[in-house]
Amino acid sequence: MKKILASFFLQIICITAVISLTSCATWNPNKEQEEAEQVKMTIEQFMQQDPGLKVFFDQAYGYAVFPTVGKGAYIVGGTYGTGMVYEKGNLIGHASIVEASVGLQIGGQGFSEIIFFKDQPTLDYFKGGNYEFSAQASAVAVTLGVAARAEYNEGVAVFILPKGGLMADLSIGGQKFTFEPK
């Protein structure tokens, strides 16, 4: 049992180190402009899949857009992605998703994710940096007409758009978000 726990913690440390080193590998003076373009393209892709999402963009107090979230696992898994956060349509900061999980899972996949915040208290709670939830339980895959049936759950509506990959996943874990004001 001790060997399994030690192996698990070693794998988590390795995943964290790779993510940290990858994000620090290069400095790009045009990074924010490029990220904004990726966010714009991501929103367009979501809207192409379901134009009904316009209602969420128009009525939500705020939203966070994560153009690319990657997930990989072999028993122990990790997820990471970065995005931009908007309040009433204006950029207010950056956010990141981190998830660690353990269970019956193998493979890798990429997806885009948009989180809508119904009101100011929900967005403020997210900005506090303590926001987390299990995406498997509350995310909706975007297909034509899905927005018309989607509802907020505890002030949040989450939509994902698969990009590719294959993953078998029966795991426990939850996404944790961090927020950095602009």
Side-chain angles (χ1 to χ4, degrees):
M1 182 67 169
K2 287 183 181 181
K3 286 183 181 181
I4 293 172
L5 284 175
S7 174
F8 170 72
F9 287 116
L10 180 61
Q11 289 177 7
I12 293 297
I13 289 169
C14 289
I15 290 169
T16 303
V18 167
I19 290 169
S20 297
L21 292 174
T22 303
S23 66
C24 298
T26 60
W27 176 74
N28 182 352
N30 300 320
K31 183 179 177 184
E32 188 163 319
Q33 183 179 2
E34 290 173 6
E35 288 176 347
E37 187 60 34
Q38 289 176 343
V39 165
K40 180 181 174 187
M41 289 187 328
T42 299
I43 291 171
E44 289 172 2
Q45 291 169 348
F46 272 82
M47 294 296 289
Q48 286 173 353
Q49 289 295 315
D50 187 0
L53 286 171
K54 184 172 182 347
V55 172
F56 281 90
F57 283 105
D58 291 344
Q59 295 179 1
Y61 186 82
Y63 54 91
V65 180
F66 299 91
T68 302
V69 179
K71 182 174 186 174
Y74 179 73
I75 300 175
V76 174
T79 301
Y80 182 76
T82 61
M84 296 181 140
V85 182
Y86 297 82
E87 183 174 343
K88 296 183 180 179
N90 299 311
L91 178 65
I92 60 166
H94 300 271
S96 64
I97 297 174
V98 176
E99 177 181 3
S101 56
V102 63
L104 297 174
Q105 55 187 340
I106 187 170
Q109 66 183 135
F111 55 94
S112 299
E113 183 170 336
I114 299 179
I115 305 169
F116 292 97
F117 305 100
K118 185 176 185 176
D119 50 32
Q120 183 176 359
T122 307
L123 178 59
D124 288 346
Y125 185 70
F126 178 86
K127 292 187 313 187
N130 300 316
Y131 199 83
E132 61 183 283
F133 63 86
S134 175
Q136 294 90 339
S138 56
V140 176
V142 174
T143 57
L144 185 61
V146 76
R149 299 182 307 275
E151 297 179 4
Y152 285 97
N153 183 2
E154 296 183 13
V156 176
V158 182
F159 296 90
I160 61 168
L161 187 60
K163 287 187 163 201
L166 182 62
M167 186 151 194
D169 187 355
L170 292 170
S171 61
I172 56 172
Q175 291 183 339
K176 172 114 172 95
F177 300 88
T178 59
F179 174 76
E180 183 179 315
K182 183 177 173 189

